DNA sequence: TTGGTCCGTCAACGACGCTGACCTATGCTG
DNA sequence: CAGCATAGGTCAGCGTCGTTGACGGACCAA
């Protein structure tokens, strides 16, 4: 009867929520598959991509900061960082103020790989944005942000400056 | 100079794309963490959740259909299905028309677990939808769909009927 | 009967999470 | 300076979940 009332909550039905859940599942697969292919060629995985991404975003970041950003354990991250440093994609220099810290950065080779991964992922994102339009993009980001936990959202927004 | 022209492409800058990429990363983590907690209690992982979800969505689905929906190998899926059937969460009966097929379905216990997982995930989704509003939700889904490969999108939309 | 399909399984491997424990180097504070 | 806290590295071990390769059985269809 009042199905078509202005401002009704039809977008909150279990059916609509299910569609959103499945959309997240399928879209995330698409989102990762292009970089995954590049990574596989070099024997790396998604964890390497994430590390490269955030080190590239925040050059001079410390291991500890990366740990909380990525939300993994020290051991997991260390395994990845070790291979990236051995392959000379990431450099670490001792912190100036605090010599316990390791300030991480991408080497030129690291930047090259990061750029390749980033380009692949951005290309898909760009075509999706273009296809959906600016208003859809604004909504897309609003929902994703609302989905995050408050502390996660804070870390996410720290990168928006 | 023409920065603020109507219909400009400012939403397609690398910076905007980067924000979308990071939003996907953080949001997906949030998206999975509630069910992950429930699964961990029972010694299951995400793969079990995905199988339960799609078997629940399409009762009577075959192993082969599930394989293409989930996009994993037979061996990966079989390992998961074996434990789910051993734990009596999923049932398989021989197909009527084609006796090579196994028609999968959730047992009552399987439905109970699927409901628990689904409830947790929907709760987060619901609050995100509510917080972002119906227009944002429409945009959210439009962008996610545009991100999928055509065949993936077809499979996704097969579940929208 | 033959060839293809659907499914299950053995073996092996790799990426990537985890816990627990222990180590060094360094900073800070009393 | 002594002692504790912090940043980081590492060893050992485990589990999930993805992969390839190979093979076998049941079944369908020509």
């Amino acid at each position: 009867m009042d199905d078509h009332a202005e401002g009704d909550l039809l977008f909150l039905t279990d059916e609509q929520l299910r569609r959103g859940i499945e959309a997240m599942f399928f879209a995330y697969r698409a989102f990762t598959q292009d970089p995954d292919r590049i990574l596989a060629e070099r024997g790396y995985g998604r964890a390497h991509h994430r590390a490269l991404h955030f080190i590239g975003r925040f050059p001079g970041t410390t291991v500890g900061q990366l740990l909380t950003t990525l939300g993994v354990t020290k051991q997991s991250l260390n395994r990845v960082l070790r291979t990236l440093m051995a392959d000379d994609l990431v450099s670490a220099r001792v912190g100036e103020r605090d010599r316990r810290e390791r300030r991480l950065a991408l080497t030129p080779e690291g930047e090259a790989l990061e750029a390749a991964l980033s380009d692949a992922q951005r290309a898909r994102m760009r075509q999706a944005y273009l296809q959906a339009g600016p208003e859809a993009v604004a909504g897309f980001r609003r929902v994703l942000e609302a989905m995050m936990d408050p502390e996660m959202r804070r870390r996410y927004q720290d990168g928006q400056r």
Side-chain angles (χ1 to χ4, degrees), chain A residues 93-108:
Chain A
R93 13 176 288 281
V94 168
E96 294 179 5
R97 248 190 33 215
D98 187 337
R99 295 172 44 78
R100 290 171 305 179
E101 293 176 343
R102 305 281 169 253
R103 297 299 188 144
L104 303 171
L106 298 183
T107 66

Side-chain angles (χ1 to χ4, degrees), chain A residues 55-117:
Chain A
I55 294 171
R57 275 287 296 138
F58 304 107
T61 193
T62 65
V63 173
Q65 285 176 318
L66 206 49
L67 238 33
T68 65
T69 301
L70 296 176
V72 298
T73 59
K74 192 175 39 162
Q75 292 85 340
S76 277
L77 178 57
N78 198 261
R79 181 167 38 195
V80 168
L81 282 182
R82 217 181 318 174
T83 73
L84 290 177
M85 298 197 297
D87 295 352
D88 208 46
L89 299 177
V90 166
S91 67
R93 13 176 288 281
V94 168
E96 294 179 5
R97 248 190 33 215
D98 187 337
R99 295 172 44 78
R100 290 171 305 179
E101 293 176 343
R102 305 281 169 253
R103 297 299 188 144
L104 303 171
L106 298 183
T107 66
E109 293 153 72
E111 288 190 14
L113 178 54
E114 199 284 323
L117 295 167

Side-chain angles (χ1 to χ4, degrees), chain A residues 15-27:
Chain A
E15 173 65 11
Q16 290 298 313
L17 296 170
R18 186 189 57 72
R19 293 190 189 193
I21 288 168
E22 292 184 1
M24 278 294 281
F25 168 66
F26 287 114

Side-chain angles (χ1 to χ4, degrees), chain A residues 47-61:
Chain A
H48 299 84
H49 183 189
R50 293 195 280 261
L52 288 172
H53 176 92
F54 285 105
I55 294 171
R57 275 287 296 138
F58 304 107
T61 193

